[in-house]
Each structure stands twice: as structure tokens, then as C-alpha cells.
């Protein structure tokens, strides 16, 4: 096969059909998101299940998500933490948070999800003083990635799992001349993960239904 975006998508769809399967609650969350004309930038099905499995493997009970959007990844994470677990998820736009709230409640895990409405940089300081988070998923405005990583370290503990979405960006991360603030923010986040002694990190590029992108995975040291 030629490695074209169409071929990546077809292979990704096969993986999702084979390993994830149909899931009415998640599909309903996506239709609600599409109906509201929200951008189709939620994680891919295989990516959502990857987050879910990471949360299960790490035994996470307290999850922090920065960037709720329609609640698709939120539902995947909330399903992983068991009764008594909590996903605190931050969404900047009240109208979007309302759509997520409805989808999350309809999926049956509403009791495990606390949506905080506001900009991450404003909401994160209000979470200080709570028990540490076991897993942090950062998937919001890329310009603020270093701020979010700093808070992930501060609100975590040694062993906290940190996942940073969208580190590939069509390979633009190596374009030093870019003026795209999202690419610059992504690269700054990656450099922080490489240099900041609070993290030990790696990253994986992905291709699939979301194009050429990837995630960084880190542990708080
Ligand atoms: C964008 C943001 C995302 O979180 C994503 O998964 C894909 C794209 C964006 O802002 O371009
Ligand atoms: Mg993303």
C-alpha cells in the first residue's frame, strides 16, 4: 500500500472495528458534537481506548483532563476509574461544557465527572490542595502546553502519568520557521518534557483517521 492519508484512515478504521467495536454511548457523544458543529478534533477511537487502558493499567482513580470538548475522551477515561473515581475535566466554553455534560450523563458515568468551566490557566490553580491526580490528559489550546505541563507536575505526584495530545502536527514540529502558534506551543511543550527534571517522557507519532499526529507520554518523577 502507498502510505497515503486514505490508506492510514482505512487501516485505522480496521483497527477500531476490530479492537474497539461499536459503542452506542460514545457514538451518541460524537453525534451530539457533530450536530453542534464542534470541530472533529476529539481523539480517534483507538486513541480513546488507549487512554482508557493507560488509566486502567496505572490504576488511576483521580484523572485530570484539560480540554473536554464533547466529552468523548472524558467518557473513555471515566469508564476506566471505577466507582469512587473522579475525572475533573476543564472546558473553556460554557456552551461546549453543556454538550459534554449531557453526553457524559447519558453515557452513565456522569457521577464520576466534574466539569469545571473556565480557561485552564484560571481553573488549574483552584485545584491546588486536593489529593494528587494519578493521570493527566492535556488536550486543549496548544499555546498553553507549558502552563498545563507545569500544573500537571504540581497537581500530580511521583508516578503520575501525563499524556500530551497532538505532538506530531503533520511533522511541522521540525519546522523552525513556522509562525503557527499551535506548532510553537507543541514544540515548547515537548522541549519542556525533555528538559524539565520533573518529567521522564517519550512520544509516539500516529497516523490514522486524525491524520499525522501523535502523543507524548510522561511520568512525573
Ligand atoms: C487540534 C486540537 C486537538 O486537540 C486535536 O486533537 C487536533 C487538532 C487543533 O487545535 O488544531
Ligand atoms: Mg487533541
Amino acid at each position: 500500500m502507498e502510505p497515503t492519508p486514505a490508506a492510514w484512515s482505512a487501516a485505522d478504521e480496521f483497527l477500531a472495528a476490530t479492537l474497539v467495536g461499536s459503542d452506542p454511548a460514545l457514538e451518541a457523544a460524537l453525534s451530539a458534537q457533530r450536530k453542534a458543529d464542534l470541530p472533529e478534533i476529539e481523539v480517534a477511537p483507538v486513541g480513546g481506548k488507549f487512554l482508557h487502558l493507560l488509566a486502567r493499567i496505572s490504576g488511576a482513580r483521580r484523572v485530570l483532563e484539560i480540554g473536554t470538548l464533547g466529552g468523548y475522551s472524558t467518557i473513555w477515561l471515566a469508564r476506566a476509574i471505577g466507582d469512587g473515581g473522579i475525572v475533573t475535566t476543564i472546558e473553556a466554553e460554557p456552551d461546549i461544557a453543556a454538550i459534554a455534560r449531557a453526553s457524559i450523563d447519558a453515557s452513565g458515568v456522569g457521577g464520576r465527572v466534574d466539569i469545571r468551566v473556565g480557561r485552564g490557566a484560571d481553573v488549574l490553580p483552584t485545584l491546588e490542595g486536593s489529593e494528587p491526580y494519578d493521570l493527566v490528559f492535556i488536550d486543549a489550546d496548544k499555546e498553553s502546553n507549558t502552563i498545563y505541563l507545569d500544573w500537571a507536575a504540581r497537581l500530580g505526584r511521583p508516578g503520575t502519568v501525563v499524556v500530551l495530545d497532538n505532538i506530531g502536527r503533520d511533522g511541522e514540529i521540525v519546522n523552525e520557521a513556522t509562525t503557527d502558534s499551535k506548532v510553537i506551543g507543541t514544540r515548547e511543550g515537548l522541549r519542556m518534557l525533555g528538559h524539565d527534571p520533573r518529567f521522564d517522557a517519550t512520544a509516539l507519532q500516529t497516523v490514522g483517521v486524525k491524520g499525522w499526529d501523535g502523543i507524548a507520554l510522561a511520568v512525573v518523577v
Side-chain angles (χ1 to χ4, degrees):
M1 299 271 268
E2 287 298 310
T4 60
W8 307 335
S9 286
D12 199 10
E13 279 161 12
F14 168 80
L15 294 173
T18 306
L19 301 170
V20 181
S22 114
D23 190 312
L26 288 169
E27 283 150 26
L30 288 185
S31 344
Q33 199 179 301
R34 307 284 186 259
K35 229 174 106 186
D37 270 331
L38 299 185
E40 299 190 17
I41 56 172
E42 76 287 341
V43 296
V46 294
K49 190 160 184 183
F50 186 85
L51 287 171
H52 170 90
L53 291 173
L54 268 183
R56 279 172 54 191
I57 291 165
S58 62
R61 306 281 290 158
R62 292 175 52 76
V63 171
L64 173 61
E65 178 181 63
I66 307 170
T68 314
L69 194 63
Y72 181 79
S73 49
T74 321
I75 294 168
W76 271 118
L77 288 164
R79 284 176 176 175
I81 57 177
D83 284 328
I86 184 83
V87 179
T88 303
T89 183
I90 302 173
E91 173 51 52
E93 300 293 335
D95 295 351
I96 299 181
I99 293 162
R101 181 81 263 168
S103 293
I104 292 163
D105 289 349
S107 80
V109 291
R112 300 178 188 172
V113 177
D114 178 8
I115 305 182
R116 304 289 179 98
V117 180
R119 310 247 356 132
D122 298 326
V123 173
L124 287 160
T126 71
L127 303 177
E128 237 175 347
S130 57
E131 272 176 73
Y133 289 95
D134 305 311
L135 185 148
V136 181
F137 178 48
I138 301 171
D139 191 16
D141 57 303
K142 311 312 169 193
E143 292 82 353
S144 304
N145 272 348
T146 56
I147 294 169
Y148 299 151
L149 286 167
D150 178 57
W151 279 107
R154 290 162 74 155
L155 298 173
R157 50 158 174 84
T160 291
V161 176
V162 180
V163 180
L164 178 67
D165 198 26
N166 310 115
I167 57 86
R169 306 223 69 109
D170 293 317
E172 284 293 313
I173 49 170
V174 298
N175 178 5
E176 288 292 342
T178 189
T179 55
D180 182 334
S181 60
K182 293 183 185 187
V183 174
I184 293 167
T186 298
R187 192 158 58 210
E188 288 308 305
L190 288 165
R191 288 193 168 128
M192 180 170 174
L193 286 173
H195 289 138
D196 190 316
R198 295 175 296 175
F199 299 107
D200 202 8
T202 189
L204 294 171
Q205 297 187 75
T206 53
V207 292
V209 293
K210 302 292 172 180
W212 175 13
D213 211 337
I215 57 161
L217 176 67
V219 66
V220 176
V221 179

